[in-house]
Amino acid sequence: MNTTPHLHSVHVELGARSYPVYIGVDRSADLGQLCRSHHVADRVVIITDQNVAAYYLRPLCGLLSKDGFRIHSVVIPPGERQKNLSRVSRVVAEMLNQRVPRSSVVIALGGGVIGDLAGFVAATYQRGVQLIHIPTSLLAQVDSSIGGKVGVNHPMGKNMIGAFYQPLFVWTDLEYLTTLPRREIVCGLGEIVKYAIIRDPALFDYLEKHLESIQSLERSHILHVLARCISIKTEIVSADEHEQSIRIVLNCGHTIGHALEHAGGFRVLKHGEAVLHGLVGESYIAKEMGILSDSDFRRISNLIARISFPRNLSRLRSSAVLNAMALDKKSRANKVRFLLPSGVGETRFVEEVDPLLVKRSIAVLLKKKDARV
Ligand SMILES: NC(=O)c1ccc[n+]([C@@H]2O[C@H](COP(=O)([O-])OP(=O)(O)OC[C@H]3O[C@@H](n4cnc5c(N)ncnc54)[C@H](O)[C@@H]3O)[C@@H](O)[C@H]2O)c1
Ligand SMILES: [Zn+2]
């Protein structure tokens, strides 16, 4: 369904729970009418964080109220540390205080933290209410708003509490990116580079050619990349909603990435930055195992080296990284399982990777000053 000339859409095919991801190039699109066409409830709860609210809460309320929606909003502090059960409980308390009924819709307006947390609230508030994602960070637009994974962290592990809960639709608008801090753009690039490595050699070529203008959000280039990444994610999610098989490819770079994030107490590295390091580390393992050619390894590490993000990981202790990896939910006792790049655009699942090689890849990551290994 294309409701305005500026709204392109990609479909997530999940039978009765299928939904579109709209990709807009300005905010003038009539969101209220779009909500009506999706039979969205009249009572709307916008959940967002303070940074996003400062720019976008009032305009969104304006768009929706002119179409007769009754709006509540819950604004939380920004950051990964908010993604926990006690924050969920406080958001639910605010909704109960505002007498938000069972027949309402939660709009998750924000980055991946808001998407995951507000999505979890939508999945569980009075056993579930409607959900719409309006992702405002690059990472959320290319990745976290699509596919229905919602949830929060537990002190013992990231994303350890959650559900699969699909939205009615996702509304992605390039304009949101104009206020996004530079570091957050790099975080989105982490997932974008991942998509190219796992699935799309043409996208990888495109990134090699246009990396700088993509980073500076040059409109036609970022739009091309967004549309391509959203298509890759929707195809994968449509094929394997619950991560029983193919969806696991999306974890490329994440086994090491999550461990680095964890070892830095979620303060040293942001998720997308950790994924960029993770992609280099996992490509290194693949190269050393003879799964990835030297030249493809060089292409991957050279592309990532052109992105400016924190390189110096000397604050991280390698024992903490390795320990975090053993806690990673994708690992099995005494074996290290990895989804490794086997070329630019392809991956291979490797059941038993030598823990010594993993150790070496971490040592290499922690001591080097740039992304070249
Ligand atoms: N559910 C999934 O499938 C999935 C996939 C990938 C990542 N994630 C999760 O996503 C989270 C990371 O998401 P993120 O990188 O978007 O982090 P985030 O939500 O913390 O957003 C990053 C920062 O940018 C700010 N921000 C967002 N949009 C803005 C805008 N338009 N203008 C100005 N500031 C803006 C936020 O306030 C925040 O400070 C992690 O918790 C990760 O686990 C989930
Ligand atoms: Zn990720």
Side-chain angles (χ1 to χ4, degrees):
M1 176 166 58
N2 273 325
T3 51
T4 83
H6 301 297
L7 218 53
H8 165 75
S9 69
V10 178
H11 213 65
V12 183
E13 200 52 64
L14 292 171
R17 285 167 296 106
S18 298
Y19 58 92
V21 178
Y22 298 106
I23 310 170
V25 294
D26 63 43
R27 290 195 299 276
S28 62
D30 194 338
L31 184 63
Q33 282 308 311
L34 200 61
C35 288
R36 291 286 177 217
S37 73
H38 280 275
H39 308 292
V40 167
D42 280 327
R43 297 283 285 266
V44 176
V45 186
I46 301 170
I47 302 180
T48 188
D49 72 26
Q50 289 156 350
N51 295 339
V52 177
Y55 295 109
Y56 304 113
L57 184 55
R58 270 163 67 112
L60 181 59
C61 291
L63 273 177
L64 292 173
S65 57
K66 85 175 163 50
D67 278 290
F69 290 94
R70 188 166 156 200
I71 300 158
H72 311 263
S73 59
V74 180
V75 181
I76 70 170
E80 181 73 28
R81 289 158 79 81
Q82 299 302 319
K83 218 178 93 172
N84 59 49
L85 273 184
S86 90
R87 179 54 68 185
V88 168
S89 175
R90 284 151 79 176
V91 170
V92 166
E94 276 201 50
M95 288 167 65
L96 291 171
N97 281 333
Q98 295 184 47
R99 300 194 191 291
V100 172
R102 164 92 184 73
S103 58
S104 60
V105 58
V106 163
I107 296 186
L109 173 71
V113 166
I114 286 295
D116 283 10
L117 181 132
F120 186 70
V121 169
T124 51
Y125 183 76
Q126 298 191 18
R127 297 199 178 80
V129 297
Q130 293 177 329
L131 171 66
I132 293 169
H133 281 294
I134 303 187
T136 62
S137 71
L138 183 57
L139 184 141
Q141 295 193 344
V142 295
D143 191 354
S144 59
S145 63
I146 305 155
K149 277 190 183 177
V150 297
V152 293
N153 302 329
H154 184 275
M156 288 178 70
K158 195 169 147 68
N159 299 326
M160 285 294 142
I161 304 158
F164 286 96
Y165 198 69
Q166 304 296 345
L168 293 177
F169 64 89
V170 181
W171 199 58
T172 287
D173 194 322
L174 273 192
E175 289 299 314
Y176 289 117
L177 302 181
T178 56
T179 53
L180 195 63
R182 222 206 101 69
R183 193 171 173 192
E184 303 302 338
I185 291 173
V186 168
C187 285
L189 275 174
E191 305 291 354
I192 290 168
V193 172
K194 175 196 78 179
Y195 286 122
I197 292 174
I198 62 174
R199 266 295 163 103
D200 194 340
L203 176 62
F204 197 94
D205 290 348
Y206 195 86
L207 294 175
E208 285 181 322
K209 237 181 239 133
H210 301 294
L211 185 71
E212 284 69 28
S213 51
I214 292 163
Q215 288 192 87
S216 56
L217 301 178
E218 199 279 310
R219 186 162 283 196
S220 68
H221 289 140
I222 191 80
L223 195 58
H224 173 86
V225 167
L226 264 181
R228 193 57 211 125
C229 292
I230 289 171
S231 294
I232 294 172
K233 176 107 192 221
T234 56
E235 274 164 32
I236 292 172
V237 167
S238 299
D240 176 25
E241 181 183 12
H242 294 119
E243 200 172 305
Q244 306 290 313
S245 54
I246 181 78
R247 189 167 176 171
I248 202 149
V249 300
L250 295 169
N251 292 324
C252 193
H254 282 60
T255 304
I256 290 181
H258 278 158
L260 294 170
E261 244 184 312
H262 200 272
F266 299 98
R267 278 182 293 270
V268 177
L269 290 174
K270 287 179 166 275
H271 178 75
E273 295 167 345
V275 169
L276 285 168
H277 284 294
L279 287 168
V280 175
E282 293 178 17
S283 299
Y284 175 82
I285 293 173
K287 174 187 72 109
E288 293 294 293
M289 291 181 78
I291 291 169
L292 182 70
S293 70
D294 280 2
S295 64
D296 279 348
F297 172 72
R298 264 196 309 278
R299 278 185 79 191
I300 292 171
S301 52
N302 285 346
L303 178 68
I304 293 174
R306 284 166 58 197
I307 302 171
S308 132
F309 68 108
R311 302 265 189 250
N312 190 343
L313 302 183
S314 57
R315 285 164 69 196
L316 303 186
R317 290 193 11 252
S318 100
S319 58
V321 180
L322 294 166
N323 188 30
M325 221 175 295
L327 290 174
D328 189 282
K329 60 182 184 286
K330 287 173 287 299
S331 71
R332 296 277 183 278
N334 301 326
K335 288 185 192 169
V336 196
R337 304 159 85 220
F338 271 96
L339 188 277
L340 295 175
S342 49
V344 168
E346 55 186 67
T347 54
R348 194 185 302 169
F349 195 61
V350 184
E351 273 293 335
E352 261 178 89
V353 175
D354 181 355
L356 287 176
L357 178 54
V358 179
K359 231 173 159 172
R360 198 159 83 230
S361 76
I362 300 300
V364 170
L365 283 176
L366 295 200
K367 77 169 164 7
K368 71 195 169 49
K369 290 272 189 296
D370 68 36
R372 274 173 252 264
V373 177

